[in-house]
Each structure stands twice: as structure tokens, then as C-alpha cells.
Amino acid sequence: MTEEILALFALYGLPGICVILAAGQFGVPLPTSILLMTAGALIADGDLTATQVFAWALAGAVLGDQSGYAVARFGGRGLLDRVFKGGASDTGSFARAERFSAKWGGFGVFFSRWLVSPLGPWINLTSGLARYHWGKFLFWDVAGESVWIIGYLSIGYAFSRSIASIAELLANLGWLIGAAAVTLLLGVLMWRAVKRHRARSANGTRNA
């Protein structure tokens, strides 16, 4: 898959980056981080300019995010349930994204662009489904994608000779951070549930 994506990039150039990132941020599993690091290495070699790469990459990433948001907002849960056979709510990643969105709001959109990026496409859907304010979603989306794009371009620029090794390391680290964040969130939710249960039990004892 990585070789094919890089071949498309070599064939179509910067518009190819835009299309590939749009598809990746919409939810298609593509090696977008490796693509950005490759572009960063080409910037280091003088083959591409940083401003042009950033502009095309940001346009593609935001387009993909906004497409996911729009599909959920205007298609509703009925459409998502048809796409995800058995119901969107039964999809583990979708359910985690709903809890993450409810917990963090706009910061959840921001962090899911780069810190817990495996949740990103799902956050787009849950934000649209919840009719989260589009202007706020766009703001946090652009801010988060900017951090993500600049980060990976910088890594590719600085370590242009070791992209493959770094890509594997960062992929594993990204999943680790995402799993840790979800585990922490579930722990907080369980702690709150236990606290509410104890409070209700204490009130019931006093009333008796």
C-alpha cells in the first residue's frame, strides 16, 4: 500500500498529496504520515517548497475531515447505521469517539487530529451527528491538522535518511497514545459512575 501511495504522489505531485490526505482523513486507511515525512524529506532536498506542501496538505486534510462531518450531520444516524451494518453505535471505535467528543468538545477535535489520530475520522462523524457548531469544528480542525502536518513534515525534513524506521516507530507510538487516552477516559467515566452510585446510596440511607 505504501509503495502505491508514494507512486501516486510521484505521479501527481502536490495535488496528489491533497487527494490522498483527504481520503485518509475521511477514514480510508492510508499511510498518510509516511507520505508527509516523504514530502518533508523532499523539502530538505530542495525538490519541494515548504509553503506549497503545507497548503496542499492542509487543504486535503481539512477537506477529508469536513466531508466526514457533513456526511454525519446531513445524513444522520440512519445513514451511519446503514454504512455500519448492525448500527454505528455498536462499532467500538465509534462508541469511543462519542465518549471522547462528549468529554473534550472542541479540544477533542484538536487532539484527535494529531495526538490520538486513530480516533480522528470517528470524531468527525460524532461531531457532525451531534451537530457540533460548524465554525468551532472548522477552527479546531484547522488548528489540529496544522500541528499534525507541520510535525510530520519536520520529522521528514530532519531525518530524511531514516524515514522508514521512524514511520514504524511513530505508528506504534500513535496507537499506544490512543489506547492510553481511551483507557484513561473510560477510567474517569467509571470513577464518576461509582461516585454517583455512592452518593445516591448515601442519600437513600439518610432518607430512610
Side-chain angles (χ1 to χ4, degrees):
M1 174 66 75
T2 301
E3 290 77 9
E4 287 81 356
I5 292 301
L6 294 180
L8 287 175
F9 170 46
L11 181 61
Y12 295 105
L14 293 177
I17 287 183
C18 181
V19 173
I20 293 167
L21 289 187
Q25 300 312 89
F26 185 73
V28 180
L30 298 174
T32 51
S33 59
I34 297 177
L35 175 62
L36 287 175
M37 286 190 289
T38 301
L42 292 175
I43 293 172
D45 291 339
D47 297 320
L48 297 173
T49 62
T51 53
Q52 288 182 323
V53 173
F54 176 78
W56 281 98
L58 182 62
V62 171
L63 176 62
D65 293 329
Q66 298 299 313
S67 297
Y69 174 89
V71 165
R73 176 156 186 166
F74 299 109
R77 186 173 290 275
L79 175 61
L80 296 184
D81 286 343
R82 287 194 295 273
V83 173
F84 302 103
K85 301 296 191 270
S89 298
D90 295 333
T91 304
S93 297
F94 188 89
R96 288 194 295 271
E98 282 192 309
R99 292 191 292 269
F100 193 81
S101 295
K103 173 69 176 179
W104 297 105
F107 286 111
V109 177
F110 176 72
F111 289 125
S112 67
R113 306 303 94 169
W114 58 279
L115 184 59
V116 286
S117 54
L119 285 181
W122 300 101
I123 295 293
N124 298 337
L125 297 178
T126 58
S127 297
L129 195 62
R131 293 185 172 273
Y132 183 71
H133 189 278
W134 177 75
K136 294 180 180 179
F137 179 82
L138 179 61
F139 171 80
W140 289 113
D141 182 28
V142 171
E145 293 293 12
S146 296
V147 172
W148 176 64
I149 292 168
I150 291 173
Y152 276 102
L153 288 179
S154 299
I155 292 171
Y157 185 94
F159 302 99
S160 58
R161 305 301 178 189
S162 307
I163 288 179
S165 299
I166 295 171
E168 182 178 359
L169 174 64
L170 289 176
N172 294 333
L173 181 61
W175 281 107
L176 177 62
I177 292 174
V182 170
T183 301
L184 177 61
L185 175 59
L186 291 176
V188 171
L189 293 175
M190 290 179 63
W191 177 77
R192 288 185 174 180
V194 171
K195 189 175 180 181
R196 287 195 298 268
H197 176 71
R198 288 178 177 175
R200 285 195 297 266
S201 298
N203 291 333
T205 302
R206 285 196 296 270
N207 292 335

PDB file of all heavy atoms in Angstrom, residues 41-70:
ATOM      1  N   ALA A  41      11.146  15.155   3.524  1.00  0.00           N
ATOM      2  CA  ALA A  41      12.480  14.830   3.024  1.00  0.00           C
ATOM      3  C   ALA A  41      12.748  15.509   1.688  1.00  0.00           C
ATOM      4  O   ALA A  41      13.865  15.968   1.414  1.00  0.00           O
ATOM      5  CB  ALA A  41      12.617  13.312   2.893  1.00  0.00           C
ATOM      6  N   LEU A  42      11.726  15.587   0.839  1.00  0.00           N
ATOM      7  CA  LEU A  42      11.892  16.260  -0.452  1.00  0.00           C
ATOM      8  C   LEU A  42      12.081  17.761  -0.268  1.00  0.00           C
ATOM      9  O   LEU A  42      12.780  18.406  -1.050  1.00  0.00           O
ATOM     10  CB  LEU A  42      10.673  15.979  -1.337  1.00  0.00           C
ATOM     11  CG  LEU A  42      10.525  14.524  -1.801  1.00  0.00           C
ATOM     12  CD1 LEU A  42       9.214  14.335  -2.560  1.00  0.00           C
ATOM     13  CD2 LEU A  42      11.705  14.123  -2.682  1.00  0.00           C
ATOM     14  N   ILE A  43      11.459  18.314   0.777  1.00  0.00           N
ATOM     15  CA  ILE A  43      11.693  19.727   1.090  1.00  0.00           C
ATOM     16  C   ILE A  43      13.148  19.926   1.488  1.00  0.00           C
ATOM     17  O   ILE A  43      13.808  20.890   1.070  1.00  0.00           O
ATOM     18  CB  ILE A  43      10.755  20.192   2.227  1.00  0.00           C
ATOM     19  CG1 ILE A  43       9.301  20.197   1.751  1.00  0.00           C
ATOM     20  CG2 ILE A  43      11.150  21.586   2.724  1.00  0.00           C
ATOM     21  CD1 ILE A  43       8.295  20.456   2.858  1.00  0.00           C
ATOM     22  N   ALA A  44      13.668  18.989   2.287  1.00  0.00           N
ATOM     23  CA  ALA A  44      15.075  19.076   2.711  1.00  0.00           C
ATOM     24  C   ALA A  44      16.022  19.005   1.520  1.00  0.00           C
ATOM     25  O   ALA A  44      17.071  19.663   1.502  1.00  0.00           O
ATOM     26  CB  ALA A  44      15.394  17.961   3.700  1.00  0.00           C
ATOM     27  N   ASP A  45      15.649  18.226   0.510  1.00  0.00           N
ATOM     28  CA  ASP A  45      16.492  18.087  -0.684  1.00  0.00           C
ATOM     29  C   ASP A  45      16.309  19.242  -1.671  1.00  0.00           C
ATOM     30  O   ASP A  45      17.003  19.301  -2.690  1.00  0.00           O
ATOM     31  CB  ASP A  45      16.187  16.771  -1.401  1.00  0.00           C
ATOM     32  CG  ASP A  45      16.654  15.563  -0.591  1.00  0.00           C
ATOM     33  OD1 ASP A  45      17.529  15.746   0.275  1.00  0.00           O
ATOM     34  OD2 ASP A  45      16.121  14.458  -0.815  1.00  0.00           O
ATOM     35  N   GLY A  46      15.338  20.135  -1.398  1.00  0.00           N
ATOM     36  CA  GLY A  46      15.109  21.269  -2.282  1.00  0.00           C
ATOM     37  C   GLY A  46      14.189  20.971  -3.447  1.00  0.00           C
ATOM     38  O   GLY A  46      14.042  21.800  -4.356  1.00  0.00           O
ATOM     39  N   ASP A  47      13.540  19.780  -3.443  1.00  0.00           N
ATOM     40  CA  ASP A  47      12.660  19.421  -4.550  1.00  0.00           C
ATOM     41  C   ASP A  47      11.277  20.037  -4.419  1.00  0.00           C
ATOM     42  O   ASP A  47      10.548  20.174  -5.420  1.00  0.00           O
ATOM     43  CB  ASP A  47      12.530  17.897  -4.643  1.00  0.00           C
ATOM     44  CG  ASP A  47      13.866  17.226  -4.959  1.00  0.00           C
ATOM     45  OD1 ASP A  47      14.621  17.779  -5.787  1.00  0.00           O
ATOM     46  OD2 ASP A  47      14.154  16.176  -4.370  1.00  0.00           O
ATOM     47  N   LEU A  48      10.859  20.374  -3.202  1.00  0.00           N
ATOM     48  CA  LEU A  48       9.557  20.985  -2.942  1.00  0.00           C
ATOM     49  C   LEU A  48       9.746  22.162  -2.000  1.00  0.00           C
ATOM     50  O   LEU A  48      10.742  22.242  -1.276  1.00  0.00           O
ATOM     51  CB  LEU A  48       8.592  19.974  -2.307  1.00  0.00           C
ATOM     52  CG  LEU A  48       8.202  18.736  -3.123  1.00  0.00           C
ATOM     53  CD1 LEU A  48       7.386  17.780  -2.260  1.00  0.00           C
ATOM     54  CD2 LEU A  48       7.420  19.137  -4.367  1.00  0.00           C
ATOM     55  N   THR A  49       8.778  23.077  -2.000  1.00  0.00           N
ATOM     56  CA  THR A  49       8.830  24.202  -1.068  1.00  0.00           C
ATOM     57  C   THR A  49       7.869  23.940   0.087  1.00  0.00           C
ATOM     58  O   THR A  49       6.773  23.400  -0.101  1.00  0.00           O
ATOM     59  CB  THR A  49       8.436  25.517  -1.761  1.00  0.00           C
ATOM     60  OG1 THR A  49       7.091  25.419  -2.232  1.00  0.00           O
ATOM     61  CG2 THR A  49       9.365  25.806  -2.931  1.00  0.00           C
ATOM     62  N   ALA A  50       8.277  24.343   1.282  1.00  0.00           N
ATOM     63  CA  ALA A  50       7.508  24.047   2.489  1.00  0.00           C
ATOM     64  C   ALA A  50       6.115  24.671   2.453  1.00  0.00           C
ATOM     65  O   ALA A  50       5.132  24.037   2.850  1.00  0.00           O
ATOM     66  CB  ALA A  50       8.277  24.530   3.723  1.00  0.00           C
ATOM     67  N   THR A  51       6.006  25.905   1.982  1.00  0.00           N
ATOM     68  CA  THR A  51       4.707  26.585   2.000  1.00  0.00           C
ATOM     69  C   THR A  51       3.709  25.908   1.067  1.00  0.00           C
ATOM     70  O   THR A  51       2.532  25.749   1.404  1.00  0.00           O
ATOM     71  CB  THR A  51       4.869  28.061   1.602  1.00  0.00           C
ATOM     72  OG1 THR A  51       5.560  28.147   0.347  1.00  0.00           O
ATOM     73  CG2 THR A  51       5.641  28.823   2.666  1.00  0.00           C
ATOM     74  N   GLN A  52       4.163  25.488  -0.101  1.00  0.00           N
ATOM     75  CA  GLN A  52       3.268  24.821  -1.042  1.00  0.00           C
ATOM     76  C   GLN A  52       2.816  23.463  -0.510  1.00  0.00           C
ATOM     77  O   GLN A  52       1.637  23.110  -0.588  1.00  0.00           O
ATOM     78  CB  GLN A  52       3.957  24.644  -2.393  1.00  0.00           C
ATOM     79  CG  GLN A  52       4.119  25.940  -3.178  1.00  0.00           C
ATOM     80  CD  GLN A  52       4.776  25.692  -4.528  1.00  0.00           C
ATOM     81  OE1 GLN A  52       5.669  24.858  -4.662  1.00  0.00           O
ATOM     82  NE2 GLN A  52       4.328  26.414  -5.542  1.00  0.00           N
ATOM     83  N   VAL A  53       3.746  22.703   0.034  1.00  0.00           N
ATOM     84  CA  VAL A  53       3.396  21.397   0.589  1.00  0.00           C
ATOM     85  C   VAL A  53       2.388  21.559   1.725  1.00  0.00           C
ATOM     86  O   VAL A  53       1.383  20.843   1.792  1.00  0.00           O
ATOM     87  CB  VAL A  53       4.647  20.658   1.096  1.00  0.00           C
ATOM     88  CG1 VAL A  53       4.254  19.379   1.827  1.00  0.00           C
ATOM     89  CG2 VAL A  53       5.576  20.325  -0.066  1.00  0.00           C
ATOM     90  N   PHE A  54       2.661  22.506   2.622  1.00  0.00           N
ATOM     91  CA  PHE A  54       1.761  22.720   3.750  1.00  0.00           C
ATOM     92  C   PHE A  54       0.365  23.109   3.274  1.00  0.00           C
ATOM     93  O   PHE A  54      -0.638  22.593   3.773  1.00  0.00           O
ATOM     94  CB  PHE A  54       2.324  23.801   4.671  1.00  0.00           C
ATOM     95  CG  PHE A  54       1.397  24.152   5.807  1.00  0.00           C
ATOM     96  CD1 PHE A  54       1.301  23.327   6.920  1.00  0.00           C
ATOM     97  CD2 PHE A  54       0.617  25.296   5.749  1.00  0.00           C
ATOM     98  CE1 PHE A  54       0.430  23.634   7.961  1.00  0.00           C
ATOM     99  CE2 PHE A  54      -0.247  25.622   6.787  1.00  0.00           C
ATOM    100  CZ  PHE A  54      -0.345  24.784   7.893  1.00  0.00           C
ATOM    101  N   ALA A  55       0.289  24.002   2.302  1.00  0.00           N
ATOM    102  CA  ALA A  55      -1.013  24.469   1.821  1.00  0.00           C
ATOM    103  C   ALA A  55      -1.821  23.334   1.192  1.00  0.00           C
ATOM    104  O   ALA A  55      -3.011  23.164   1.492  1.00  0.00           O
ATOM    105  CB  ALA A  55      -0.815  25.599   0.814  1.00  0.00           C
ATOM    106  N   TRP A  56      -1.195  22.545   0.337  1.00  0.00           N
ATOM    107  CA  TRP A  56      -1.898  21.434  -0.301  1.00  0.00           C
ATOM    108  C   TRP A  56      -2.283  20.361   0.713  1.00  0.00           C
ATOM    109  O   TRP A  56      -3.386  19.799   0.658  1.00  0.00           O
ATOM    110  CB  TRP A  56      -1.035  20.814  -1.393  1.00  0.00           C
ATOM    111  CG  TRP A  56      -1.035  21.583  -2.685  1.00  0.00           C
ATOM    112  CD1 TRP A  56      -0.088  22.474  -3.112  1.00  0.00           C
ATOM    113  CD2 TRP A  56      -2.030  21.532  -3.719  1.00  0.00           C
ATOM    114  NE1 TRP A  56      -0.422  22.976  -4.339  1.00  0.00           N
ATOM    115  CE2 TRP A  56      -1.613  22.419  -4.746  1.00  0.00           C
ATOM    116  CE3 TRP A  56      -3.214  20.828  -3.878  1.00  0.00           C
ATOM    117  CZ2 TRP A  56      -2.349  22.616  -5.904  1.00  0.00           C
ATOM    118  CZ3 TRP A  56      -3.956  21.014  -5.044  1.00  0.00           C
ATOM    119  CH2 TRP A  56      -3.526  21.894  -6.035  1.00  0.00           C
ATOM    120  N   ALA A  57      -1.369  20.073   1.626  1.00  0.00           N
ATOM    121  CA  ALA A  57      -1.647  19.048   2.639  1.00  0.00           C
ATOM    122  C   ALA A  57      -2.782  19.484   3.563  1.00  0.00           C
ATOM    123  O   ALA A  57      -3.683  18.691   3.877  1.00  0.00           O
ATOM    124  CB  ALA A  57      -0.384  18.758   3.449  1.00  0.00           C
ATOM    125  N   LEU A  58      -2.755  20.738   3.998  1.00  0.00           N
ATOM    126  CA  LEU A  58      -3.802  21.234   4.890  1.00  0.00           C
ATOM    127  C   LEU A  58      -5.151  21.232   4.183  1.00  0.00           C
ATOM    128  O   LEU A  58      -6.172  20.846   4.773  1.00  0.00           O
ATOM    129  CB  LEU A  58      -3.460  22.643   5.373  1.00  0.00           C
ATOM    130  CG  LEU A  58      -4.454  23.263   6.362  1.00  0.00           C
ATOM    131  CD1 LEU A  58      -4.526  22.432   7.643  1.00  0.00           C
ATOM    132  CD2 LEU A  58      -4.061  24.710   6.688  1.00  0.00           C
ATOM    133  N   ALA A  59      -5.158  21.630   2.923  1.00  0.00           N
ATOM    134  CA  ALA A  59      -6.410  21.636   2.165  1.00  0.00           C
ATOM    135  C   ALA A  59      -6.997  20.231   2.069  1.00  0.00           C
ATOM    136  O   ALA A  59      -8.204  20.027   2.269  1.00  0.00           O
ATOM    137  CB  ALA A  59      -6.168  22.204   0.762  1.00  0.00           C
ATOM    138  N   GLY A  60      -6.157  19.247   1.798  1.00  0.00           N
ATOM    139  CA  GLY A  60      -6.640  17.881   1.686  1.00  0.00           C
ATOM    140  C   GLY A  60      -7.135  17.320   3.010  1.00  0.00           C
ATOM    141  O   GLY A  60      -8.206  16.707   3.078  1.00  0.00           O
ATOM    142  N   ALA A  61      -6.355  17.539   4.078  1.00  0.00           N
ATOM    143  CA  ALA A  61      -6.733  17.015   5.393  1.00  0.00           C
ATOM    144  C   ALA A  61      -8.052  17.613   5.868  1.00  0.00           C
ATOM    145  O   ALA A  61      -8.941  16.902   6.354  1.00  0.00           O
ATOM    146  CB  ALA A  61      -5.622  17.291   6.404  1.00  0.00           C
ATOM    147  N   VAL A  62      -8.186  18.920   5.741  1.00  0.00           N
ATOM    148  CA  VAL A  62      -9.405  19.589   6.188  1.00  0.00           C
ATOM    149  C   VAL A  62     -10.596  19.169   5.329  1.00  0.00           C
ATOM    150  O   VAL A  62     -11.709  18.979   5.841  1.00  0.00           O
ATOM    151  CB  VAL A  62      -9.219  21.118   6.164  1.00  0.00           C
ATOM    152  CG1 VAL A  62     -10.538  21.838   6.422  1.00  0.00           C
ATOM    153  CG2 VAL A  62      -8.191  21.533   7.217  1.00  0.00           C
ATOM    154  N   LEU A  63     -10.375  18.998   4.021  1.00  0.00           N
ATOM    155  CA  LEU A  63     -11.456  18.541   3.140  1.00  0.00           C
ATOM    156  C   LEU A  63     -11.976  17.171   3.573  1.00  0.00           C
ATOM    157  O   LEU A  63     -13.189  16.930   3.621  1.00  0.00           O
ATOM    158  CB  LEU A  63     -10.955  18.477   1.700  1.00  0.00           C
ATOM    159  CG  LEU A  63     -11.948  17.922   0.667  1.00  0.00           C
ATOM    160  CD1 LEU A  63     -13.198  18.794   0.587  1.00  0.00           C
ATOM    161  CD2 LEU A  63     -11.277  17.822  -0.710  1.00  0.00           C
ATOM    162  N   GLY A  64     -11.060  16.258   3.900  1.00  0.00           N
ATOM    163  CA  GLY A  64     -11.469  14.940   4.355  1.00  0.00           C
ATOM    164  C   GLY A  64     -12.245  14.994   5.657  1.00  0.00           C
ATOM    165  O   GLY A  64     -13.273  14.318   5.821  1.00  0.00           O
ATOM    166  N   ASP A  65     -11.769  15.804   6.600  1.00  0.00           N
ATOM    167  CA  ASP A  65     -12.458  15.948   7.893  1.00  0.00           C
ATOM    168  C   ASP A  65     -13.845  16.540   7.719  1.00  0.00           C
ATOM    169  O   ASP A  65     -14.822  16.071   8.314  1.00  0.00           O
ATOM    170  CB  ASP A  65     -11.637  16.834   8.822  1.00  0.00           C
ATOM    171  CG  ASP A  65     -10.324  16.196   9.235  1.00  0.00           C
ATOM    172  OD1 ASP A  65     -10.270  14.959   9.322  1.00  0.00           O
ATOM    173  OD2 ASP A  65      -9.353  16.944   9.476  1.00  0.00           O
ATOM    174  N   GLN A  66     -13.917  17.589   6.919  1.00  0.00           N
ATOM    175  CA  GLN A  66     -15.199  18.260   6.734  1.00  0.00           C
ATOM    176  C   GLN A  66     -16.199  17.360   6.000  1.00  0.00           C
ATOM    177  O   GLN A  66     -17.404  17.424   6.256  1.00  0.00           O
ATOM    178  CB  GLN A  66     -15.004  19.566   5.938  1.00  0.00           C
ATOM    179  CG  GLN A  66     -14.124  20.589   6.625  1.00  0.00           C
ATOM    180  CD  GLN A  66     -14.680  21.053   7.960  1.00  0.00           C
ATOM    181  OE1 GLN A  66     -15.857  21.382   8.071  1.00  0.00           O
ATOM    182  NE2 GLN A  66     -13.832  21.063   8.970  1.00  0.00           N
ATOM    183  N   SER A  67     -15.702  16.504   5.122  1.00  0.00           N
ATOM    184  CA  SER A  67     -16.583  15.571   4.419  1.00  0.00           C
ATOM    185  C   SER A  67     -17.213  14.588   5.401  1.00  0.00           C
ATOM    186  O   SER A  67     -18.416  14.301   5.339  1.00  0.00           O
ATOM    187  CB  SER A  67     -15.804  14.813   3.338  1.00  0.00           C
ATOM    188  OG  SER A  67     -15.308  15.707   2.355  1.00  0.00           O
ATOM    189  N   GLY A  68     -16.393  14.061   6.321  1.00  0.00           N
ATOM    190  CA  GLY A  68     -16.930  13.160   7.325  1.00  0.00           C
ATOM    191  C   GLY A  68     -17.950  13.844   8.218  1.00  0.00           C
ATOM    192  O   GLY A  68     -19.012  13.270   8.527  1.00  0.00           O
ATOM    193  N   TYR A  69     -17.645  15.058   8.625  1.00  0.00           N
ATOM    194  CA  TYR A  69     -18.572  15.842   9.452  1.00  0.00           C
ATOM    195  C   TYR A  69     -19.894  16.055   8.713  1.00  0.00           C
ATOM    196  O   TYR A  69     -20.976  15.870   9.286  1.00  0.00           O
ATOM    197  CB  TYR A  69     -17.917  17.184   9.779  1.00  0.00           C
ATOM    198  CG  TYR A  69     -18.811  18.172  10.506  1.00  0.00           C
ATOM    199  CD1 TYR A  69     -18.874  18.185  11.893  1.00  0.00           C
ATOM    200  CD2 TYR A  69     -19.577  19.089   9.793  1.00  0.00           C
ATOM    201  CE1 TYR A  69     -19.690  19.107  12.557  1.00  0.00           C
ATOM    202  CE2 TYR A  69     -20.386  20.003  10.445  1.00  0.00           C
ATOM    203  CZ  TYR A  69     -20.432  20.018  11.825  1.00  0.00           C
ATOM    204  OH  TYR A  69     -21.248  20.921  12.464  1.00  0.00           O
ATOM    205  N   ALA A  70     -19.819  16.436   7.431  1.00  0.00           N
ATOM    206  CA  ALA A  70     -21.026  16.726   6.653  1.00  0.00           C
ATOM    207  C   ALA A  70     -21.869  15.477   6.435  1.00  0.00           C
ATOM    208  O   ALA A  70     -23.107  15.522   6.510  1.00  0.00           O
ATOM    209  CB  ALA A  70     -20.646  17.346   5.306  1.00  0.00           C
TER     210      ALA A  70
END
